[in-house]
Amino acid sequence: MSDHAGAAEKQMNSRGALARRQAALLRLSTAIAAAHDEDAIYSSVVTGLRDEALGYNFLGVFLLDPETGDRVLQASVGWPDVPPNWRVHRGEGLSEQALMDGKLHYTPDVTRESKYLPSLSTGSELDVPLRMDGQTIGVLVVESAEPDAFSEDDFEILTAAANQAAIAVGRARLLVAERLRADEHKALLDTMADLSAELELPRVLQAVLRRAVSLLGVTGGEVAIYEEESQELQVVASQNIGKESTGTRLKLGEGAMGSVARTHEPLIIPSYHEWLGRSTKYADVTVHSVMAAPLLIGQRLVGAIATVHSDPERVFGPEDLRLLNMFAPQAAIAIENARLYTAAQRQKQYFEEVLQNSPVAIVTLGRDYHIYSCNPAFERLFGYSSAEAVGRNLDELITTEASRTEAEQYTREALDHAVHGIGRRRRKDGTMVDVEVLGVPVIVDGERVGLMGLYHDITELLSARQEAEAANSAKSQFLASMSHELRTPLNAIIGYSEMLQEEVSDLGHAEFGTDLEKINTAGRHLLSLINNVLDLSKIEAGRMDLFLEEFDIGTMLDDVVTTARPLVDKNANRLEVRGAERLGRMHADLTKVRQMLLNLLSNACKFTEGGTITLDAQRRADEEPFDGEAIVLSVSDTGIGMTAEQMDRLFEAFSQAEASTTSKYGGTGLGLAITRRFCEMMGGDVSVQSAPGEGTTFTVRLPAMVAPSPAGATAK
Amino acid sequence: MPKILLVEDNEMNRDMLSRRLERKGFEVMIAVDGRQGVEMAKADRYDLILMDMSLPEIDGWEATRQLRAESETQKVPIIALTAHAMAGDRERALEAGCDDYDTKPIELPRLLSKMESLLGAEG
């Protein structure tokens, strides 16, 4: 074909060619509009534009790989034997020029170009840049089998086509980004929904992992929980990592998760096998690359998450890390929540267990005094099932009309502070039960939400106490009547022996006097023992009363000294009385004070021979712990004294320091016990100071003004 | 010779005390319970009455109150005889109208001094 003829043909064809070009552009526009993603757009571009008549024989779209500078083929038509994603390396081929300067380049005869890749048999080539946001992202290559096939008109139409394609690609990419964000958003929402819907931790973590794996587009992954006690990670969720790893334990530093658990930093491992050091231990590992992140609550490690690619072509990048970091806090919160929940649950179970098994009946009430819950012991004690009791007013349920007011008072008080008492309550069958009641307010977060009642069945306790009291009372009664019955004949012995002494003296039979004296003395001793037993039994039975009167202390002491005189003289002792003058009067039980002093003097005389016994009396204004004035009476001797051990049991009934002492010195060992009880009844006390061989001092302290006390109250 | 009424239900106590008092120069008349004691006191004139408190029929306190209520026996000195350790007996005795009290078993010198002081005041 001659040049001229060619030009003429072109000229002649130009009108038809214009129509064909516009038709090609329309095809392209229509195909692009129908395309759903980038790949479809590129296919649309090449297939839509292809027109043999226009010389658009071979078409391809390359995108620039920004990392390598290579051009990667996205779609092509007409090129035989071209692999998908064919790479044209940097510095090769004609189309690089358009990529570099962003302009259209026309090569009328490619065979003359050194950079031409000879595998494609073409004549001319047109390279049109794909520009987006001022950047050249790729190039549209259009080749004709003929050299010099393209004109300005082609330049125009193909530039328009490239622009349309670029716009469509931009739109498609936006759509993908938006879809990804929507997916992320949905995955997050779904994860949160999992967190709130699912309480069982492994299932929550499995769900979190499933979403992470799906969003990241990875092969699989694992989640492990950190156990503070063992300082180990335990895998609780795993997906597609080649083997079932759930239950596997990892030490800190072991494996990818162990590493991030130790460093608290995320980690990307491009080649897991190299990273592991090709240990045979991990021969079965099929993963290629790994990305792991610690699960932290604040600074505290709660676990680790890892995702893996088994495809050697795929590597993890910053975008993947961003996505993983989105899931890590979710998993961490799930673990922490589960931990808190488990702890709370365990505590709740613990208390419920205590409540269920408590032998004490326990009932909880709301602020309206209606029963909120009760335990099995409550059901057993009162005969109401939990279902019957709940919702009822407690006091209406288990009290009688007679005791309701008092019980309601208790209940009201228990809402404010702990109350404790003993009362009778009614069972479902109408029988009554004696209970010890403890009521306490239930305070949650500083708010009084109600109260709790504890009932302890004291029927047996009460009957045991009544039996004990009855037995004790019988004992006291027995002792009292025994003493009384013994005393009557004893009085006769004492009286007649005394009378006989007088008579034999009058009649001049002095030789009988000594024996009669012995009968009389023995009788008096026996009488004093009986009197002491009687006193003590009365005290123990709570029947010893105080008879308070005002009396002159000096006179009382004179009286005591006169009575004690024969005892003092018996062992050749000397009695000194100090401070008896000007002591004034006191208000107390005269008989008991006198009896106490006689007891102490009698003891002192008994355990002292040829020594000195001192009776000292003082009035003190500031004696602790007495409120008013105190009268302090002490009896000291220079006798044999006592050890600390002997003093310990001194004031107990029927205990003399030693059995041997009893045989030597006589006495019942009741005098000091009685003395102490009398002191206590009058609000005072008695104490002893002694050391072996250094004598003994007994000190009685009494209020100068003894207060009347409820009968028997101080005697117990 | 002072004339004494001894109201005492226990035979041995009665026997002992009456014999000892008689030896000390008293004329002693005996009543065995409260009722008899009151009857005898009203029927005759006594210088002093020794009144046991725990008596059958009517007890010593009641007997004393009855005697104090009668004009002829209102002023007769009465000494209550109470059991030892029965604290409260003596207060009740004084409340009932006794002039003094003494505890059993009887310490004769102590009782005699109490009797003498009352008889002295009387005479």
Side-chain angles (χ1 to χ4, degrees), chain A residues 212-229:
Chain A
V213 164
S214 138
L215 193 71
L216 280 157
V218 292
T219 312
E222 285 180 314
V223 180
I225 293 178
Y226 179 63
E227 292 176 354
E228 273 180 25
E229 221 168 273

Side-chain angles (χ1 to χ4, degrees), chain A residues 202 206 222 234-239 243-249:
Chain A
Q206 193 68 51
E222 285 180 314
Q234 186 184 6
V235 178
V236 292
S238 85
Q239 189 177 351
K243 56 172 177 161
E244 178 54 53
S245 63
T246 306
T248 309
R249 302 183 76 86

Side-chain angles (χ1 to χ4, degrees), chain A residues 55-121:
Chain A
Y56 302 168
N57 304 121
F58 315 106
L59 295 98
V61 175
F62 291 89
L63 284 187
L64 175 67
D65 179 347
E67 281 181 26
T68 59
D70 295 346
R71 276 151 288 154
V72 183
L73 184 66
Q74 304 297 312
S76 68
V77 64
W79 285 333
D81 307 325
V82 176
N85 297 316
W86 177 50
R87 279 177 179 262
V88 179
H89 297 294
R90 189 183 210 154
E92 293 174 352
L94 291 172
S95 61
E96 190 166 40
Q97 190 68 29
L99 265 181
M100 304 289 276
D101 61 12
K103 288 179 179 147
L104 179 140
H105 285 269
Y106 179 44
T107 311
D109 188 348
V110 294
T111 54
R112 293 186 185 176
E113 293 293 328
S114 60
K115 281 195 171 182
Y116 179 66
L117 296 172
S119 64
L120 303 172
S121 55

Side-chain angles (χ1 to χ4, degrees), chain A residues 283-358:
Chain A
D284 60 335
V285 172
T286 57
V287 304
H288 180 258
S289 55
V290 176
M291 173 172 65
L295 303 178
L296 301 168
I297 293 288
Q299 295 299 309
R300 187 160 53 83
L301 180 74
V302 298
I305 186 168
T307 55
V308 303
H309 277 308
S310 49
D311 179 357
E313 292 299 311
R314 310 251 336 241
V315 286
F316 288 106
E319 174 63 10
D320 296 312
L321 200 55
R322 183 184 74 81
L323 288 174
L324 185 65
N325 278 338
M326 212 168 65
F327 284 97
Q330 305 291 331
I333 287 167
I335 292 170
E336 181 67 357
N337 281 352
R339 193 184 65 79
L340 292 175
Y341 180 78
T342 306
Q345 204 62 19
R346 279 182 65 89
Q347 197 157 19
K348 191 173 165 236
Q349 270 176 14
Y350 175 83
F351 282 118
E352 258 167 24
E353 200 67 12
V354 169
L355 207 63
Q356 291 299 306
N357 294 313
S358 167

Side-chain angles (χ1 to χ4, degrees), chain A residues 472-547:
Chain A
N472 203 41
S473 165
K475 182 194 81 178
S476 299
Q477 194 57 49
F478 171 76
L479 284 174
S481 49
M482 265 286 282
S483 303
H484 185 75
E485 294 306 317
L486 287 171
R487 211 153 42 176
T488 309
L490 205 49
N491 280 336
I493 293 167
I494 293 165
Y496 279 105
S497 60
E498 205 167 284
M499 197 175 78
L500 273 175
Q501 276 181 272
E502 291 162 12
E503 282 179 0
V504 295
S505 161
D506 290 351
L507 295 170
H509 295 293
E511 66 272 26
F512 298 118
T514 331
D515 289 347
L516 288 170
E517 169 73 25
K518 281 176 184 163
I519 294 170
N520 188 260
T521 305
R524 284 177 188 280
H525 185 207
L526 186 54
L527 183 68
S528 87
L529 295 183
I530 290 168
N531 285 338
N532 278 346
V533 169
L534 183 63
D535 277 355
L536 205 63
S537 67
K538 275 179 142 180
I539 292 168
E540 306 233 308
R543 292 211 314 266
M544 180 64 85
D545 298 325
L546 281 181
F547 294 94

Side-chain angles (χ1 to χ4, degrees), chain B residues 96-108:
Chain B
C98 295
D99 298 275
D100 206 342
Y101 57 85
D102 201 7
T103 52
K104 292 201 267 187
I106 300 300
E107 300 267 3
L108 197 63

